[in-house]
Amino acid sequence: DTEVTQTPKHLVMGMTNKKSLKCEQHMGHRAMYWYKQKAKKPPELMFVYSYEKLSINESVPSRFSPECPNSSLLNLHLHALQPEDSALYLCASSQASRNGELFFGEGSRLTVL
Amino acid sequence: GESVGLHLPTLSVQEGDNSIINCAYSNSASDYFIWYKQESGKGPQFIIDIRSNMDKRQGQRVTVLLNKTVKHLSLQIAATQPGDSAVYFCAETTNDMRFGAGTRLTVKP
């Protein structure tokens, strides 16, 4: 299994809603990542988890809250988002942080109304 | 600022021609580089990688060249096909896999 699975594929939420994006991998990878991608832009790194510990937070606003319940799962909790947060949110994993290729999921397309 | 970047935002080639996509980086300590391909509506996909102790690496129809002197790498695609149409990103891992701006490759039939 070389897949990274993200759910939901599409999410529409209001600015007062609380929702979560989920990511799962069963490759035994110990590093997991959240990226945000706006249209016609490269993916922007948001968070990195290494061995289930948050190792990088790229000054992301607190309305985005990551969680790594175990080595296979990564969540991104969303609360009080703004319309400018609408984007494709990509999850990725790698064998270790700073080492080797990233395996990406298909992304969760988020629209904030 | 960005640690990697690309020279051209778009590239259009005829089917069957070779394509060359360029990337510049600024961190001389960068030691590992990856090219990714992103098709519309999908996540980025690994194409090929290269470590700083190499100048060239070849895959199936793709070659990556690394010039550490001028901090430049390129992706060459031989006999470009319509299925190669996508956005191509270079990325380097010194800063936890940050991506350059991307080049959109369009293949004309």
Side-chain angles (χ1 to χ4, degrees):
Chain A
D1 184 359
T2 57
E3 279 192 353
V4 175
T5 305
Q6 288 188 244
T7 54
K9 291 196 188 313
H10 299 276
L11 178 63
V12 179
M13 60 187 289
M15 290 189 283
T16 58
N17 292 158
K18 281 187 184 181
K19 297 285 184 183
S20 297
L21 306 180
K22 297 185 183 300
C23 176
E24 191 168 2
Q25 58 88 12
H26 295 288
M27 294 177 278
H29 289 172
R30 304 315 299 262
M32 296 187 77
Y33 308 73
W34 280 115
Y35 285 84
K36 173 183 177 179
Q37 187 176 28
K38 302 282 271 185
K40 299 185 180 180
K41 296 288 186 182
E44 290 177 39
L45 185 63
M46 298 175 73
F47 302 105
V48 181
Y49 273 83
S50 181
Y51 291 86
E52 299 160 51
K53 288 188 170 32
L54 183 65
S55 62
I56 291 186
N57 176 342
E58 287 289 292
S59 303
V60 179
S62 59
R63 58 186 184 268
F64 295 92
S65 174
E67 180 198 18
C68 190
N70 60 55
S71 59
S72 299
L73 293 175
L74 185 66
N75 299 321
L76 186 63
H77 302 298
L78 314 170
H79 174 53
L81 294 194
Q82 304 295 311
E84 59 264 29
D85 296 322
S86 298
L88 181 69
Y89 288 85
L90 292 161
C91 173
S93 70
S94 63
Q95 284 190 330
S97 178
R98 298 186 176 184
N99 183 19
E101 75 175 275
L102 296 181
F103 289 77
F104 281 88
E106 301 276 90
S108 292
R109 173 76 57 191
L110 173 67
T111 302
V112 182
L113 301 177
Chain B
E2 288 185 345
S3 62
V4 289
L6 293 172
H7 292 309
L8 289 174
T10 61
L11 176 65
S12 183
V13 301
Q14 207 70 39
E15 182 178 356
D17 287 352
N18 296 334
S19 304
I20 299 176
I21 300 171
N22 296 305
C23 182
Y25 63 95
S26 57
N27 188 348
S28 56
S30 298
D31 60 0
Y32 181 53
F33 302 88
I34 300 182
W35 281 99
Y36 286 91
K37 171 187 180 182
Q38 187 174 23
E39 295 175 274
S40 182
K42 296 188 175 181
Q45 248 186 320
F46 172 91
I47 302 173
I48 192 167
D49 59 358
I50 189 167
R51 295 205 176 268
S52 59
N53 61 353
M54 302 171 72
D55 297 322
K56 179 179 179 179
R57 189 146 192 248
Q58 286 185 287
Q60 189 177 12
R61 281 201 307 117
V62 294
T63 301
V64 56
L65 299 177
L66 177 62
N67 185 329
K68 295 179 284 292
T69 303
V70 296
K71 296 199 277 288
H72 178 272
L73 68 159
S74 65
L75 176 71
Q76 300 179 0
I77 305 173
T80 314
Q81 302 168 1
D84 296 325
S85 293
V87 178
Y88 290 81
F89 296 101
C90 63
E92 56 97 15
T93 57
T94 310
N95 292 307
D96 281 294
M97 200 56 68
R98 294 171 206 279
F99 286 73
T103 292
R104 179 172 296 281
L105 175 65
T106 302
V107 182
K108 296 177 287 188

